Amino acid sequence: MSSLLNQLHSLRAQAQQDIAQADSLEGLETLRVRYLGRKDGQLTKILQALPSLSPEEKKVLGREANEAKISLETALNEKKGAIEEKTLNAVLSAAAGQDLTLPESPLSVGRRHPLAQVMDDIVGCFLRLGFNLAEGPEVETDFNNFTALNHPPDHPARDSHDTFYVKNFRDGEGLPLLLRTHTSPVQIRHMQTHKPPLSIVAPGRVFRHEAVDATHSFVFHQVEGLAVDVDISVADLKGVLGLFARHVFGSNVEIRFRPAYFPFVEPGIEVDISCTLCEGKGCRVCKQTGWVEMLGAGMVNPNVFRAVGYDPDKVTGYAFGIGVERVAMFKYGVDDMRLFFENDVRFLRQVSR
Ligand code: PHE
């Protein structure tokens, strides 16, 4: 019996000491289980000896055990409170010296790339005029990119396109596949699969094997337009392009047509818009002419209609190809195209909404 009482006393002393040294809530819980746990707690183990004791001994050991239990529970609770208070104080003192009334650091919101915005703007303008969206692949056949667009195999205009050829892959005629040099092959694809009347816009990336400088890049973007019907005229083309120019550059701009050569249109036209930076007076950007070259256009060459199985005696059409980077540079007054590809956020923030 006295050895049980001794055990109880030393258990109580040891437990008090452990509790006093505990410094976390998890540590305290471990101690509670170790000493007071219902199943395997050390106090429970001592009390398991009770049935073998005399009634007098039971009374003494029972009372002492109960006292020990209560005092350890009290010690655990007090220590718990102390640890919680210490944690709270640590949080509060970490916050001290911080001004909770300061505004939070600004969240910067992402936005679409300026080229994507300009492209959407151009395409959106034509969709509202009733054009449909058409798309084509970036790897094209020689036929769609050149032959059907009235560039026969030995035609010198092919050279002006600085084509990237896709190695070892050839189309059904044994001609090499290539990265499209313009979006005009989408015209061919669309006419092969649709009957007139039709009007489409085809935005996309195009590739040319050119050295990169302020106004050239080996990859850039175009928006192609095509309309075919029974009596489409140059006047329709001029009307539509005038609407486009005023939509993108503002209601004061004017457009002008100059003759140009593209094999797939006749007549071929280069379209200038009046310089919005100097309002036509002449400046660095328009090279003192008051006009800026903006796109290529023209009336679809009968040979193109023949290549897709249309009857050139029955239908006419116009086509145009807008250089997206050129529009973006002029719109934002940027004189180096590379800025649009380098993606320095300081630049992107300046030019995008
Ligand atoms: N595809 C021509 C180019 O990239 C542009 C163009 C399109 C010209 C449609 C006339 C008609 O140079």
Side-chain angles (χ1 to χ4, degrees), residues 272-340:
D272 297 341
I273 73 151
S274 58
C275 183
T276 50
L277 302 174
C278 62
E279 284 166 351
K281 289 189 204 76
C283 67
R284 183 181 51 85
V285 171
C286 62
K287 299 192 189 95
Q288 312 304 329
T289 64
W291 296 93
V292 182
E293 183 192 323
M294 206 43 70
L295 59 128
M299 301 305 290
V300 179
N301 190 303
N303 285 341
V304 175
F305 285 144
R306 284 186 197 106
V308 295
Y310 284 11
D311 182 349
D313 293 329
K314 296 213 170 102
V315 291
T316 55
Y318 61 72
F320 56 83
I322 303 171
V324 177
E325 281 75 6
R326 192 175 266 275
V327 171
M329 286 168 75
F330 187 57
K331 188 175 158 115
Y332 297 121
V334 169
D335 60 8
D336 192 331
M337 193 198 282
R338 287 169 288 199
L339 289 165
F340 288 107

Side-chain angles (χ1 to χ4, degrees), residues 179-257:
L179 297 185
R180 64 179 179 192
T181 58
H182 50 178
T183 42
S184 302
V186 185
Q187 294 181 26
I188 301 302
R189 289 177 174 271
H190 197 80
M191 288 192 280
Q192 282 169 336
T193 50
H194 296 77
K195 295 222 161 322
L198 55 86
S199 52
I200 54 153
V201 269
R205 281 204 294 185
V206 302
F207 306 85
R208 292 191 194 176
H209 191 191
E210 282 182 347
V212 175
D213 66 23
T215 54
H216 295 88
S217 168
F218 53 86
V219 51
F220 54 102
H221 301 80
Q222 291 185 334
V223 175
E224 188 79 14
L226 171 72
V228 182
D229 203 346
V230 285
D231 51 10
I232 290 213
S233 71
V234 181
D236 296 314
L237 173 63
K238 196 161 190 184
V240 161
L241 291 180
L243 287 170
F244 149 75
R246 288 190 288 277
H247 172 80
V248 174
F249 300 107
S251 51
N252 292 331
V253 307
E254 285 174 48
I255 61 170
R256 112 180 151 174
F257 279 10

Side-chain angles (χ1 to χ4, degrees), residues 112-122 221 324:
R112 284 172 69 64
H113 191 280
L115 287 178
Q117 289 184 20
V118 168
M119 192 121 121
D120 285 354
D121 197 26
I122 298 171
H221 301 80
V324 177

